[in-house]
Amino acid sequence: MHKFFAVILTLVLILSMTASAFSAPVELIYTYWGSPLERDAQAKMCRDFEKAYQDIFPGIKIKDIYIPSNYDEKINAMVAAGEPPHVAQLGEALALEWAEKGILLDILPLIKEDKDPSVKIENRLSMTWYWYDKGKKTIGTNLAPEVMVLWYNKELFDKAGVPYPTSDPNAWTWDKFLDTAIKLTVDRNGRHPGDQGFDPSNIDVYGVAFGTWWAAILPFIWSNGGDICDSEGKRPLINQPASVEAIQKLADLMLKHHVAPTPTQMQAFPALSVALQTKKVAMYVDGQWALLDLGQMGKEGRIKLGVAPLPKLRKPVCLELGAPNVMFAASAQKHLKESWEFYKWTTDSEKVISLVRGGLWMPLQKWYYTDPKYREKWLDPDVHPKEYKPAVIDYLLKYGRRAPSYYLRNWGKISDIMYQELSNVWLGKISAKTACDSIATKIKPLLTGRYDR
């Protein structure tokens, strides 16, 4: 009898081992967006993970899906079909809403159980965390922290005999910025704004350009002492004098001073990075992420690149933003260990240092900013301009302020209303005051508080 049970047990073990040996390797789905260079960089990140984890998860595969347009629409379709990715970049407007609904995974328990220092709350820049349920849960951090800065082409400054922008945010005032933009703006006859005979309808080089989405506008509102709403996210402030004045000053760059193209004029431009490289624009406001393309141009000798903080109106403010990397609950829980290790990989700057050195991302872990040894690991002198540390790193650490996309309810709808209402300001059809009054009225019912309080 004992021999019979021994034989049965042996057979069970053999069958178990055989099933394990022939089980299909795990395939995780990862979705992301970005430029073609970002696509290549993130695909390489996935291949590096597969190679590094073959011994731990034999046969592990990352099915990386690049979605360059209509991202939210396509992710919505995947979720609706019951086939969400395991790990994904996700737009801020959806992230916390889906977290509350349980579509995304609260990773705080995983963080508490894990000894890896790279993922610990205290070791990442505090402003990069996405908290909800009154700060009791988190979906994690950005894929990387990002800031809005001013990129410029040094060759145009040299040609015009104009000093480069200072890296000191306190000294880089709005008046100095405007004077610089005027000196760098040239019509087809070589005249500048204010010169006799200057032709604003035939400008060859614009002094500055900026996008009209919220991240390009909000730093100037903050710098002037204004805001979209109060700190509790319940009362509109966008129509208060400080906010209105900042928006009108930006519109005046296009319509009064003629140093910046209107959105209509920008439609004839290539990408802003290309416009900077081809000397159609001398300076432009964009995120740090633009360095991936600009840095490559610099390495190839196609641009003499510089970077500066944004000019201040009343006080320096550095807007910090970034879409989160998240884990989808339904799919990640099926392969939790593999999904968690891949999530950590994508947000561990040591593991993706090539993407950081290439200019796509900034590091999440604090020691990359405070320890000179670690700064040297990620600042590539062939990519990062020599003024990058004071103009970007110090700017972030001293004056960084997290975007409302990290905490404000109904942020997607609020930012859409801002974009739509301000579009007529940039075209000169209405004043900033008229637009801001309309924004305040429309967003008031949407201001229902914060996710983290």
Side-chain angles (χ1 to χ4, degrees):
M1 194 68 171
H2 292 295
K3 291 183 179 179
F4 173 77
F5 282 115
V7 170
I8 294 297
L9 180 60
T10 302
L11 287 173
V12 168
L13 289 171
I14 291 172
L15 288 171
S16 175
M17 293 172 62
T18 302
S20 175
F22 289 98
S23 61
V26 171
E27 180 180 78
L28 303 180
I29 296 174
Y30 175 60
T31 60
Y32 58 101
W33 61 72
S35 70
L37 281 177
E38 287 182 73
R39 174 198 62 204
D40 296 342
Q42 293 227 49
K44 181 181 182 300
M45 175 192 71
C46 295
R47 303 292 81 75
D48 289 345
F49 175 82
E50 291 171 345
K51 183 178 179 181
Y53 274 80
Q54 279 303 313
D55 290 341
I56 301 172
F57 307 128
I60 184 86
K61 293 291 182 184
I62 307 298
K63 183 179 180 181
D64 55 295
I65 302 176
Y66 172 60
I67 307 175
S69 61
N70 301 318
Y71 190 90
D72 286 357
E73 177 184 330
K74 292 172 183 176
I75 290 294
N76 262 297
M78 294 174 74
V79 171
E83 298 177 349
H86 296 80
V87 179
Q89 284 184 254
L90 191 62
E92 300 97 311
L94 285 176
L96 291 172
E97 178 185 338
W98 280 4
E100 276 198 335
K101 292 178 180 178
I103 297 172
L104 304 182
L105 194 66
D106 169 26
I107 67 169
L108 191 56
L110 294 170
I111 293 170
K112 289 179 178 179
E113 292 175 5
D114 202 304
K115 295 181 180 180
D116 186 342
S118 74
V119 79
K120 292 300 184 183
I121 303 292
E122 65 273 16
N123 290 339
R124 294 190 179 186
L125 294 177
S126 60
M127 64 185 78
T128 63
W129 288 96
Y130 280 80
W131 296 98
Y132 66 106
D133 193 18
K134 298 182 179 180
K136 299 174 185 175
K137 298 177 180 179
T138 183
I139 54 173
T141 61
N142 315 6
L143 188 60
E146 295 290 356
V147 298
M148 300 301 291
V149 291
L150 189 75
W151 300 103
Y152 61 93
N153 189 322
K154 291 181 176 179
E155 290 181 71
L156 287 170
F157 280 77
D158 296 341
K159 181 180 178 181
V162 176
Y164 301 149
T166 175
S167 296
D168 179 0
N170 280 295
W172 184 221
T173 64
W174 182 266
D175 288 342
K176 289 181 180 179
F177 161 70
L178 178 58
D179 181 62
T180 298
I182 289 172
K183 290 176 179 177
L184 293 167
T185 300
V186 184
D187 71 9
R188 292 179 183 174
N189 294 312
R191 297 186 178 94
H192 304 278
D195 289 349
Q196 185 72 28
F198 172 74
D199 184 1
S201 62
N202 286 291
I203 294 176
D204 189 45
V205 180
Y206 284 97
V208 66
F210 59 93
T212 53
W213 66 302
W214 65 268
I217 308 303
L218 188 53
F220 297 101
I221 295 174
W222 281 348
S223 178
N224 206 40
D227 212 330
I228 296 170
C229 62
D230 68 345
S231 61
E232 295 300 314
K234 294 184 177 179
R235 182 169 60 91
L237 298 176
I238 189 68
N239 60 339
Q240 296 302 302
S243 304
V244 173
E245 182 184 41
I247 292 170
Q248 190 61 58
K249 281 181 176 291
L250 289 169
D252 287 348
L253 294 176
M254 303 174 182
L255 306 170
K256 178 181 177 180
H257 304 296
H258 305 292
V259 298
T262 66
T264 301
Q265 291 165 332
M266 284 181 64
Q267 289 177 2
F269 279 27
L272 279 176
S273 59
V274 178
L276 190 75
Q277 181 256 326
T278 56
K279 303 182 180 67
K280 292 299 179 183
V281 169
M283 304 179 283
Y284 86 92
V285 176
D286 203 357
Q288 191 280 156
W289 59 82
L291 186 57
L292 180 66
D293 295 275
L294 291 170
Q296 186 64 31
M297 293 177 185
K299 287 179 72 172
E300 295 170 357
R302 292 187 285 141
I303 188 172
K304 188 178 178 184
L305 182 65
V307 64
L310 297 184
K312 75 166 188 177
L313 283 93
R314 297 184 188 177
K315 59 183 179 181
V317 180
C318 174
L319 181 134
E320 190 279 326
L321 72 161
N325 238 28
V326 301
M327 296 172 66
F328 278 81
S331 50
Q333 285 175 331
K334 294 177 182 177
H335 301 291
L336 188 57
K337 188 173 182 180
E338 294 89 345
S339 298
W340 175 237
E341 290 301 324
F342 181 62
Y343 171 84
K344 289 198 302 174
W345 182 277
T346 66
T347 56
D348 182 349
S349 300
E350 183 70 30
K351 301 296 192 301
V352 293
I353 198 67
S354 62
L355 305 186
V356 178
R357 283 183 64 83
L360 175 59
W361 297 337
M362 297 174 72
L364 281 164
Q365 287 74 34
K366 291 179 180 178
W367 50 76
Y368 282 94
Y369 298 88
T370 57
D371 188 329
K373 177 181 65 177
Y374 278 93
R375 279 203 306 270
E376 188 175 336
K377 290 185 73 171
W378 73 276
L379 293 180
D380 184 345
D382 293 329
V383 172
H384 297 80
K386 66 178 183 179
E387 55 279 321
Y388 186 92
K389 181 185 178 296
V392 182
I393 295 177
D394 295 347
Y395 182 44
L396 168 64
L397 296 182
K398 291 180 182 179
Y399 304 106
R401 180 174 172 181
R402 66 204 307 251
S405 51
Y406 283 100
Y407 55 81
L408 194 60
R409 292 182 178 277
N410 298 310
W411 173 245
K413 294 176 182 177
I414 291 169
S415 58
D416 283 347
I417 289 170
M418 286 181 58
Y419 183 85
Q420 292 161 5
E421 293 296 318
L422 292 176
S423 63
N424 284 324
V425 176
W426 316 129
L427 298 176
K429 294 181 178 180
I430 59 175
S431 69
K433 175 62 172 150
T434 299
C436 289
D437 283 341
S438 180
I439 293 169
T441 299
K442 291 183 177 181
I443 70 172
K444 188 175 181 179
L446 297 172
L447 292 172
T448 58
R450 301 170 55 135
Y451 285 99
D452 58 349
R453 293 182 184 175

